Amino acid sequence: QWGWRLVGAGVALVTFITWTYTPDVAGFVGGGLGLALIGVPLLGLFYVQRQVAREEYRRAAQVARLIRWLHPLDGWWNTPALYQAFALMRDGDTAAAVA
């Protein structure tokens, strides 16, 4: 999962640069970025996994579409289409799912 490492390193780098110039706000900047770019996608990933386990593929696809904007690495751009295809297959529309 190199994407998580890259995002974590980016957050740490921005926090360090902010600390160099304005140490009073560096924690707020780093914490905010960490929450937005690591925390929220991680919670979203858990939610998506729960929806997939319940076979709620459409809802999983919707959340995955949101997550990919906050964490655009590690294959998140393709995941919503995969869950949408699962939903179509479950509904019996094999032709649309394969297309």
Side-chain angles (χ1 to χ4, degrees), residues 40-93:
V40 172
L42 192 58
L43 290 173
L45 174 62
F46 292 141
Y47 183 78
V48 166
Q49 289 175 341
R50 186 179 323 141
Q51 296 307 312
V52 168
R54 294 178 181 172
E55 296 185 7
E56 294 289 336
Y57 299 117
R58 292 190 199 289
R59 187 171 304 236
Q62 291 171 346
V63 175
R65 281 188 200 97
L66 295 174
I67 293 172
R68 70 181 178 184
W69 288 103
L70 292 175
H71 190 79
L73 306 171
D74 291 336
W76 277 105
W77 286 103
N78 302 327
T79 305
L82 178 66
Y83 293 141
Q84 190 66 33
F86 286 163
L88 291 169
M89 286 292 289
R90 188 192 64 212
D91 294 342
D93 194 356

